Each structure stands twice: as structure tokens, then as C-alpha cells.
């Protein structure tokens, strides 16, 4: 078990009052799984990732982490424009005081393995949106996390780029044998990428459905091409009430 929520609720307290973001949430992410949480905008998905990362404590219930490090990939690539690709990739090592020669060599090996060798001395402005997201993923992997938390990392990309980057990121995560928890409002994206999809209600977020994705050969492309894709899409659409 990499991550488990057991009856987790979370309420924001502000001067204007209380807002319940998450209610009685129970689910599990097993080692090596790619799990997606899908729900309407504003339902509390990002709050769930903050709870998973330990950035905020639950108001009720327990969040259990199976050990190991967590890496966070944001909605935007958040690359520093004044740093080269190489320097951006090294950033987590500097922040976490793990900036050793061995860790840098591992980060560069990942960058070269996944097609960034010729871009290491370039700045983010010289890269396409899809390439920037690849850099952001390698930066996240540089600190050698066991579990990746993905906060709608493809939402800023145009549709065609988004499809290509989804496939790219999925392949890298699976190749590196990482566990991943993705939050998204895109039904197609959730089905294509995931081993399991968990549907959430409108705020406060609660589980309204869980589905294992067993069709296709495991790649996003094969899942999109499967005849079972449309049926799961309609099931999830019904659970989300759209």
C-alpha cells in the first residue's frame, strides 16, 4: 500500500465561515498503480492531493502513507525562466539538500533517457509546451520519489499536445515503476491513463464510484481505441451527473 484514505474529511475555516471540502473519503492506492480521481471543478480534488502530501492534516479520519518519498507535479510546469533545463531539473535536489554528485548524475541520466539530452542548456522559453511538461516530470523524478501526485498537469496544453504528453508521461511513470495519483476533470484522460478511476461528487468530495480499467494493453492509446472505452465514459459521466 502506497497511500490510503480512511474516512477522511476536511473543512476550511475562514473569517467568513466554514467550507467542507472533503467528506468521509475512503480509497487506497497500491504500489505501482496509476489511480485517477475525477470530479467536477471545485469539488476538492486539489485539497485531496494536499492531504495526500501531508501539507494539511485531515479534520477527521486518517491518511496513511506506506513510506517513501512523494513528488508533486503541478498544473503549470513552474519552470524558472532564468534557469536552464539542467538547472531546473536540479532544483529539487538543492531544496531537499540532496544535491550530491550521484543524485545529479541520476537526474541527468533520466533526462537523457527521456529525450532531453539536447535541451539541457536551453531555457524554458526555448521549449514547446509539451517539452516543458516533460522537463517538469523529470524534475519531479530527480529526487527519486516513490509516489507521484499529479494536479491536472496537462490542463494548460492544447488538445493535440495534451494527448501526446499524456502518453509520454504515462510511459515514463510506468517505465520507472512509480505509483501515481492524478486528479483531473477530464473523463477521457482518467480512463486512458489509469489502472483505476475513482469518481467524486461535487463539493464536499465523496466517492461515488470506483472502476478498474482492464481493457487495452495498458497504454493510453490502446485504451482509447478499445470498444469498452465509450461504455466506461458513459458510466463515469452518469456518476458525475453530467
Amino acid at each position: 500500500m502506497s497511500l490510503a484514505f480512511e474516512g477522511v474529511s476536511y473543512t476550511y475555516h475562514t473569517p467568513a465561515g466554514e467550507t467542507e471540502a472533503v467528506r468521509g473519503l475512503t480509497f487506497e492506492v497500491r504500489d505501482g498503480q496509476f489511480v485517477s480521481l475525477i470530479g467536477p471543478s471545485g469539488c476538492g480534488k486539489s485539497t485531496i492531493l494536499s492531504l495526500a502530501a501531508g501539507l494539511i492534516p485531515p479534520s477527521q479520519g486518517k491518511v496513511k502513507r506506506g513510506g517513501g518519498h512523494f513528488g508533486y507535479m503541478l498544473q503549470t510546469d513552474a519552470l524558472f525562466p532564468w534557469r536552464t533545463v539542467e538547472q531546473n531539473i536540479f532544483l529539487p535536489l538543492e531544496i531537499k539538500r540532496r544535491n550530491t554528485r550521484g543524485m545529479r548524475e541520476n537526474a541527468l541520466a533520466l533526462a537523457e533517457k527521456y529525450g532531453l539530452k539536447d535541451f539541457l542548456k536551453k531555457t524554458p522559453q526555448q521549449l514547446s509546451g509539451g517539452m516543458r511538461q516533460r522537463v517538469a516530470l523529470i524534475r519531479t523524478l530527480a529526487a527519486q520519489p516513490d509516489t507521484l501526485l499529479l494536479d491536472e498537469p496537462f490542463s494548460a496544453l492544447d488538445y493535440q499536445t495534451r494527448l501526446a504528453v499524456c502518453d509520454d508521461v504515462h510511459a515514463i511513470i510506468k517505465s520507472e515503476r512509480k505509483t501515481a495519483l492524478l486528479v483531473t476533470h477530464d473523463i477521457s484522460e482518467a480512463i486512458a491513463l489509469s489502472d483505476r478511476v475513482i469518481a467524486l461528487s461535487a463539493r464536499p468530495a465523496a466517492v461515488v464510484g470506483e472502476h478498474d480499467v482492464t481493457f487495452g494493453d495498458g497504454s493510453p492509446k490502446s485504451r482509447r481505441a478499445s470498444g469498452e472505452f465509450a461504455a466506461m465514459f458513459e458510466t463515469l459521466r452518469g456518476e458525475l451527473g453530467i
Side-chain angles (χ1 to χ4, degrees):
M1 182 273 295
S2 179
L3 178 69
F5 277 51
E6 297 181 355
V8 171
S9 297
Y10 185 80
T11 300
Y12 286 101
H13 298 272
T14 69
E18 296 182 346
T19 300
E20 189 179 18
V22 177
R23 178 185 294 170
L25 201 62
T26 297
F27 69 89
E28 182 177 287
V29 182
R30 295 187 292 275
D31 291 338
Q33 274 194 324
F34 195 121
V35 174
S36 286
L37 298 174
I38 183 168
S41 295
C43 77
K45 299 187 295 298
S46 293
T47 299
I48 293 168
L49 284 192
S50 295
L51 288 162
L55 300 177
I56 55 176
S59 302
Q60 293 181 344
K62 293 181 179 179
V63 179
K64 293 185 176 180
R65 301 171 189 84
H69 300 287
F70 283 70
Y72 211 123
M73 190 169 172
L74 302 170
Q75 292 182 7
T76 60
D77 57 64
L79 300 178
F80 289 130
W82 60 88
R83 296 180 69 122
T84 65
V85 167
E86 181 180 79
Q87 291 167 340
N88 270 287
I89 289 172
F90 289 161
L91 185 61
L93 307 183
E94 298 168 15
I95 293 172
K96 296 182 179 182
R97 298 182 181 179
R98 302 176 68 192
N99 193 23
T100 63
R101 179 177 177 179
M103 292 293 286
R104 290 195 301 272
E105 288 178 347
N106 174 73
L108 290 177
L110 280 171
E112 293 184 13
K113 181 179 180 181
Y114 296 113
L116 296 177
K117 181 179 179 179
D118 296 333
F119 300 91
L120 291 171
K121 302 304 180 183
K122 295 185 180 296
T123 59
Q125 298 96 310
Q126 296 174 284
L127 306 182
S128 67
M131 189 64 73
R132 288 171 65 108
Q133 284 301 91
R134 186 183 297 192
V135 174
L137 176 60
I138 300 306
R139 180 186 58 190
T140 304
L141 292 173
Q144 299 182 342
D146 301 286
T147 301
L148 300 178
L149 304 174
L150 310 174
D151 189 357
E152 301 200 58
F154 318 115
S155 59
L157 303 174
D158 64 78
Y159 181 72
Q160 288 187 332
T161 303
R162 185 170 182 155
L163 287 178
V165 173
C166 282
D167 291 4
D168 196 20
V169 168
H170 181 272
I172 293 171
I173 289 173
K174 286 298 185 180
S175 177
E176 295 301 313
R177 299 181 180 178
K178 301 299 182 183
T179 304
L181 178 64
L182 166 74
V183 299
T184 181
H185 63 274
D186 188 314
I187 298 175
S188 296
E189 182 176 281
I191 298 170
L193 291 172
S194 307
D195 301 308
R196 187 154 51 92
V197 180
I198 299 171
L200 302 174
S201 67
R203 192 176 65 197
V207 174
V208 294
E210 292 192 46
H211 306 274
D212 291 325
V213 184
T214 58
F215 50 85
D217 62 10
S219 70
K221 186 175 181 179
S222 72
R223 287 171 177 162
R224 293 188 195 102
S226 172
E228 297 175 71
F229 184 93
M232 181 169 284
F233 185 100
E234 289 304 315
T235 297
L236 287 165
R237 195 162 71 108
E239 289 174 346
L240 296 175
I242 56 177

